Amino acid sequence: MSPAGEYPLLIDVSRTEVVRHDAWSSFAEPWPASRVALLGLKPADKVVATIFLRAGTLLHPTRFFTSRTQAVSWLSTGPDERAAG
Protein backbone atom coordinates (compact mmCIF):
# COMPACT_ATOMS: atom_id res chain seq x y z
CA MET A 1 0.00 0.00 0.00
CA SER A 2 1.08 3.54 -0.59
CA PRO A 3 2.10 5.67 2.40
CA ALA A 4 2.26 8.74 0.13
CA GLY A 5 -1.45 9.11 -0.63
CA GLU A 6 -4.45 7.59 -2.31
CA TYR A 7 -4.35 6.04 -5.78
CA PRO A 8 -6.98 4.42 -8.04
CA LEU A 9 -7.13 0.63 -7.89
CA LEU A 10 -8.19 -1.79 -10.64
CA ILE A 11 -9.15 -5.26 -9.42
CA ASP A 12 -9.56 -7.87 -12.14
CA VAL A 13 -12.02 -10.46 -10.81
CA SER A 14 -12.33 -12.37 -14.09
CA ARG A 15 -10.31 -15.33 -12.80
CA THR A 16 -11.74 -15.32 -9.30
CA GLU A 17 -13.25 -18.63 -8.24
CA VAL A 18 -13.55 -18.21 -4.47
CA VAL A 19 -13.57 -15.09 -2.32
CA ARG A 20 -12.56 -15.75 1.27
CA HIS A 21 -14.26 -13.87 4.10
CA ASP A 22 -11.08 -11.99 5.04
CA ALA A 23 -10.78 -10.73 1.46
CA TRP A 24 -14.37 -9.43 1.53
CA SER A 25 -13.89 -7.79 4.92
CA SER A 26 -10.72 -6.01 3.83
CA PHE A 27 -12.84 -3.71 1.66
CA ALA A 28 -14.59 -2.38 4.76
CA GLU A 29 -11.26 -1.19 6.16
CA PRO A 30 -9.54 2.08 5.26
CA TRP A 31 -6.69 1.79 2.77
CA PRO A 32 -5.13 4.27 0.36
CA ALA A 33 -7.42 3.92 -2.65
CA SER A 34 -9.05 6.97 -4.17
CA ARG A 35 -11.50 4.72 -6.04
CA VAL A 36 -11.85 1.06 -6.98
CA ALA A 37 -12.84 -0.44 -10.34
CA LEU A 38 -13.86 -4.11 -10.37
CA LEU A 39 -13.26 -5.64 -13.79
CA GLY A 40 -15.04 -8.82 -14.84
CA LEU A 41 -15.84 -10.56 -18.08
CA LYS A 42 -18.33 -13.32 -17.21
CA PRO A 43 -21.90 -13.06 -15.91
CA ALA A 44 -20.68 -14.74 -12.71
CA ASP A 45 -18.22 -11.86 -12.21
CA LYS A 46 -21.13 -9.42 -12.29
CA VAL A 47 -22.95 -11.49 -9.66
CA VAL A 48 -19.91 -11.44 -7.37
CA ALA A 49 -19.47 -7.70 -7.87
CA THR A 50 -23.14 -7.00 -7.21
CA ILE A 51 -23.05 -8.95 -3.96
CA PHE A 52 -19.89 -7.10 -2.97
CA LEU A 53 -21.32 -3.67 -3.84
CA ARG A 54 -24.49 -4.32 -1.85
CA ALA A 55 -22.90 -6.16 1.07
CA GLY A 56 -22.13 -3.13 3.18
CA THR A 57 -20.70 0.32 3.43
CA LEU A 58 -17.78 0.85 1.09
CA LEU A 59 -15.15 3.38 2.03
CA HIS A 60 -14.09 4.06 -1.55
CA PRO A 61 -16.06 4.91 -4.69
CA THR A 62 -16.43 1.49 -6.35
CA ARG A 63 -17.89 0.37 -9.68
CA PHE A 64 -18.02 -2.79 -11.78
CA PHE A 65 -16.91 -2.76 -15.43
CA THR A 66 -16.74 -5.28 -18.25
CA SER A 67 -14.40 -3.05 -20.26
CA ARG A 68 -10.83 -2.41 -19.10
CA THR A 69 -10.78 0.82 -21.15
CA GLN A 70 -13.91 2.15 -19.39
CA ALA A 71 -12.60 1.08 -15.99
CA VAL A 72 -9.28 2.88 -16.50
CA SER A 73 -11.10 5.95 -17.81
CA TRP A 74 -13.32 6.08 -14.71
CA LEU A 75 -10.34 5.54 -12.42
CA SER A 76 -8.65 8.55 -14.06
CA THR A 77 -11.51 10.94 -13.24
CA GLY A 78 -11.91 12.96 -10.05
CA PRO A 79 -13.68 12.01 -6.83
CA ASP A 80 -17.42 11.42 -6.87
CA GLU A 81 -19.99 9.20 -5.17
CA ARG A 82 -18.96 6.59 -2.59
CA ALA A 83 -20.15 3.55 -4.56
CA ALA A 84 -22.18 2.67 -7.62
CA GLY A 85 -22.94 -0.43 -9.65
Side-chain angles (χ1 to χ4, degrees):
M1 296 300 196
S2 171
E6 293 184 337
Y7 295 93
L9 176 63
L10 175 67
I11 301 174
D12 186 338
V13 298
S14 62
R15 295 185 185 170
T16 302
E17 294 181 16
V18 176
V19 181
R20 295 185 354 214
H21 182 284
D22 55 339
W24 284 107
S25 62
S26 70
F27 282 94
E29 299 173 10
W31 34 281
S34 55
R35 53 185 39 214
V36 178
L38 302 171
L39 176 65
L41 305 174
K42 305 178 301 281
D45 299 336
K46 175 69 174 180
V47 171
V48 169
T50 300
I51 292 168
F52 169 76
L53 290 168
R54 295 184 183 173
T57 304
L58 301 174
L59 300 176
H60 318 283
T62 306
R63 287 191 179 180
F64 175 79
F65 296 88
T66 56
S67 161
R68 180 177 296 273
T69 301
Q70 290 177 348
V72 170
S73 176
W74 179 75
L75 288 171
S76 301
T77 63
D80 63 353
E81 75 285 348
R82 297 312 289 169

